[in-house]
Amino acid sequence: MSTLPSGCCHLPGFFDENAQAALLTTLRDVVAVAPLFKPTMPRTGKPFSVDMTNCGPLGWVSDKERGYRYQATHPVTGQPWPAIPAQLLELWRGLSSYAHPPEACLVNYYAAGCKMGSHADIDEKDFSAPVISVSLGDDAVFHVGGLKRGDAKVRVTLGSGDVFILGGPSRKAYHGVDRVLAGSSCLLPKGGRINLTLRRVTIG
Ligand code: MD3
Ligand code: FE
């Protein structure tokens, strides 16, 4: 048994199977308007393991030339991001304790074998708002540490329908995804995992 750092909250099975399927249906509409793209690392141009897209007024993107940033338009289509689905706005209202709506919902798609190296989410301006994440599809082994890269890490399996809230002292903690357990869920017909992160970007 290990305890999560202060400010982290794991809500396993927050969304039941029906709610997961409904969320997936709305995400299909999001991806139809804002197709998944492959971000690249600042300076090196190395591709990310995951594919991404966004919904909401601002989306998180990264490329070799301009680095990590939020912007109002899709990097490939040049179109505005679609709206954040109602179920997710409701989730934020219920759990964020924050007076303003989220501005970004980053959608990460993990095919089998994808991972996400340890990083801190620090491209936002308002750190008083939490980050709220929703996992769908295959289980992932996720880690969360402290404010320094070398701090001790706690590992948690994030399953389909789980919600994870990062706030307070953990808002800038290092975290990442070590691996995805292929075949652990049948929610996604082609397998893999989707993670949604709701974020406030600007000061409300
Ligand atoms: C802990 N996504 O998109 S979500 C990301 O499962 C990201 O795709 C992971 O890290 C994923 O940036 C983890 C849970 C999460 C989100 C933000 C955090 C954990 C966090 C911020 C601080 C500490
Ligand atoms: Fe992150």
Side-chain angles (χ1 to χ4, degrees):
M1 260 303 282
S2 44
T3 324
L4 288 170
S6 176
C8 291
C9 178
H10 183 198
L11 304 173
F14 185 91
F15 288 104
D16 67 17
E17 282 187 31
N18 283 323
Q20 292 171 42
L23 210 41
L24 195 57
T25 299
T26 65
L27 289 175
R28 291 196 201 292
D29 298 336
V30 165
V31 173
V33 175
L36 289 164
F37 61 93
K38 181 71 80 180
T40 55
M41 292 294 290
R43 296 179 298 280
T44 64
K46 183 181 187 286
F48 277 53
S49 176
V50 296
D51 290 332
M52 290 180 177
T53 191
N54 291 269
C55 44
L58 292 172
W60 189 89
V61 301
S62 177
D63 58 39
K64 183 178 195 224
E65 293 74 22
R66 295 174 62 201
Y68 302 153
R69 64 197 184 274
Y70 282 95
Q71 64 179 41
T73 56
H74 190 288
V76 178
T77 68
Q79 293 300 116
W81 305 103
I84 299 176
Q87 304 102 299
L88 296 172
L89 294 175
E90 196 189 309
L91 177 76
W92 177 272
R93 249 163 49 89
L95 297 182
S96 70
S97 307
Y98 187 81
H100 306 280
E103 294 169 298
C105 174
L106 174 61
V107 179
N108 294 146
Y109 176 68
Y110 294 76
C114 286
K115 51 192 167 41
M116 186 175 287
S118 211
H119 66 278
D121 294 6
I122 51 170
D123 298 322
E124 300 75 27
K125 292 193 181 78
D126 192 348
F127 296 110
S128 71
V131 174
I132 299 185
S133 114
V134 180
S135 295
L136 294 170
D138 286 337
D139 292 352
V141 180
F142 163 80
H143 69 258
V144 57
L147 299 181
K148 293 187 305 253
R149 191 176 282 284
D151 290 347
K153 296 174 173 63
V154 175
R155 284 187 167 74
V156 185
T157 299
L158 295 180
S160 198
D162 290 10
V163 168
F164 201 90
I165 309 172
L166 284 306
S170 286
R171 176 60 185 78
K172 295 185 199 176
Y174 276 88
H175 60 278
V177 173
D178 302 328
R179 60 199 194 96
V180 172
L181 307 178
S184 51
S185 159
C186 11
L187 182 71
L188 306 181
K190 294 178 186 165
R193 168 177 189 258
I194 296 169
N195 181 266
L196 311 171
T197 49
L198 295 164
R199 298 130 185 268
R200 180 74 195 183
V201 180
T202 66
I203 298 190

